[in-house]
Amino acid sequence: MDDYTLPFWIYLGVLTVFIGGAMKKILASHLSSAPPLVAWLGATVLVERLWALCLPAVLLALLGLACCLYSATRTGTSPATLPAHSKAVLITGCDSGFGNATAKRLDALGFEVFATVLDLSGDGARELQRTCSPRLTLLQVDITQPQQVQQALLDTKAKLGLKGLWGLVNNAGVCVNFGDAELSLMSNYRGCMEVNFFGTLNITKSFLPLLRQAKGRIVTISSPAGDQPFPCLAAYGASKAALNLFINTLRHELEPWGVRVSTILPSSYKTGQSSNHTYWEQQHKHLLQSLPPALLEDYGEDYLTERPWSCSRATPARPTPTSAPLSLPRRHRPGAAVATAAGALRCQRGPGVGLMYFIHSYCPFSISNRFLQKLFVKKKLLPLALRRQSGFDLNLSLHNNNNNNNNNNNEEKLK
């Protein structure tokens, strides 16, 4: 052991930390059979390095097996559910999707649910009235309208009395458009920020006194697009990035008050708006009418027509809006994050999300960047200006080759 130099010990320490972190990330990703396989490969490399120090490899192997068994045991157990009696939860965006399913789930568990909807006469609101108990209260709230948020606060206070609000589920959100950052209108950026960030900020700040009073919890449905640069989602991703930072800051600040703050980062699911083809057609027509002529000339109308659907096709077809949250692991659904005594502060859940975060965290940027492009964008057309440039370069190359051939023929004739 005296023969080993300082660089070797530094290398061994870095390798140990890296493999340990990688194993922890992979085992928490729930990627079917892949995590144990990769984890054991990493453990094998670590054992190989430690074997040179004459450490008992058998003990290390047993330790790895114990860790895997412990992880499997934890995955199979369901967390304890809190008693729902006298606990009230406010959920935003309950017209469809995650919010609608979460309202049903928490109502079935016995919580007093305040469900906000954009339209009290809409299908989602009528379904909640039909299927849920009298404990559920519907509130018509557009979270971008301060007056409506304040009215919801007054209505909630009047019904709760002195007991406070146990939970807030920030579910309401919007993706205004798919498209390149340069092609996204400023109204798209402002629309996403207004709902996803400022709207959520407004309703969270408004209801915080009630949450602090009850030492409750906040669960926010965000997106991996707020952590990673998804092509075609600049407006949506920027708003979710701002939301993630706000929620992470709030988590530290509310800890002394006993308020628990969690974030759920789900995979791609079909919710009400994402499967509304009429909406996307209208957005596309509005984009064509609003772009400057020079910009439209550079990209080409065929590129704009092909682009939104190539991006949306890359989002896999997940369950229908009403069942989408139920396809998440039971202990990582929005309702479970409210109803259970303990849970992760940041849950990355859904098919492929764990792998995506692992690549983003541990692989070189070039690999992570290529992974996102191949996964999310199915490119078939280049912008028109680039196609013209490619054609010009090709013609220029052919012209130069012809000139070179003519020059060679002339030289041969002179000889």
Side-chain angles (χ1 to χ4, degrees), residues 345-368:
L345 299 180
R346 276 174 63 88
C347 301
Q348 301 148 8
R349 291 296 176 263
V353 177
L355 174 62
M356 182 173 61
Y357 269 92
F358 175 76
I359 292 175
H360 177 72
S361 300
Y362 293 105
C363 293
F365 174 76
S366 59
I367 296 177
S368 176

Side-chain angles (χ1 to χ4, degrees), residues 247-266:
I247 294 299
N248 291 338
T249 303
L250 204 62
R251 180 179 299 117
H252 298 294
E253 295 174 349
L254 293 180
E255 187 176 355
W257 293 93
V259 177
R260 186 179 182 85
V261 180
S262 303
T263 307
I264 296 179
L265 304 163

Side-chain angles (χ1 to χ4, degrees), residues 9-228:
W9 289 109
I10 295 175
Y11 165 77
L12 185 62
V14 171
L15 183 68
T16 304
V17 171
F18 175 82
I19 292 180
M23 289 176 64
K24 180 181 177 182
K25 280 272 187 180
I26 295 173
L27 291 173
S29 299
H30 305 290
L31 299 176
S32 65
S33 60
L37 176 61
V38 180
W40 276 109
L41 289 175
T44 303
V45 175
L46 182 60
V47 168
E48 184 272 329
R49 298 308 303 172
L50 294 176
W51 180 265
L53 301 178
C54 301
L55 295 178
V58 175
L59 293 179
L60 290 172
L62 291 176
L63 178 62
L65 179 60
C67 290
C68 286
L69 291 175
Y70 175 71
S71 175
T73 303
R74 287 195 60 190
T75 303
T77 57
S78 298
T81 302
L82 292 167
H85 178 67
S86 77
K87 289 184 172 63
V89 179
L90 178 82
I91 309 167
T92 64
C94 296
D95 297 87
S96 62
F98 286 98
N100 190 279
T102 301
K104 294 176 184 175
R105 172 65 176 166
L106 292 183
D107 177 75
L109 290 174
F111 285 88
E112 183 178 358
V113 176
F114 295 86
T116 77
V117 293
L118 285 173
D119 185 6
L120 283 174
S121 60
D123 294 338
R126 289 201 300 267
E127 183 186 5
L128 289 176
Q129 286 179 322
R130 185 177 65 254
T131 59
C132 294
S133 72
R135 288 188 307 273
L136 184 135
T137 302
L138 286 174
L139 301 170
Q140 183 163 332
V141 180
D142 180 346
I143 63 173
T144 66
Q145 302 299 319
Q147 299 87 351
Q148 294 187 26
V149 173
Q150 286 303 310
Q151 186 59 51
L153 178 61
L154 293 175
D155 294 342
T156 305
K157 278 184 176 180
K159 196 157 187 178
L160 288 179
L162 301 175
K163 65 181 180 181
L165 186 67
W166 168 250
L168 169 64
V169 180
N170 286 318
N171 168 73
V174 64
C175 179
V176 177
N177 76 313
F178 285 96
D180 297 47
E182 188 179 13
L183 296 175
S184 297
L185 305 176
M186 288 303 298
S187 59
N188 299 147
Y189 288 95
R190 291 192 178 97
C192 283
M193 287 297 294
E194 198 63 39
V195 177
N196 299 338
F197 178 66
F198 288 112
T200 303
L201 170 64
N202 184 23
I203 203 158
T204 302
K205 282 175 61 68
S206 299
F207 282 87
L208 264 179
L210 295 181
L211 290 161
R212 289 190 286 104
Q213 178 184 341
K215 295 186 183 298
R217 53 189 60 191
I218 301 171
V219 177
T220 300
I221 314 300
S222 187
S223 169
D227 292 331
Q228 303 183 40

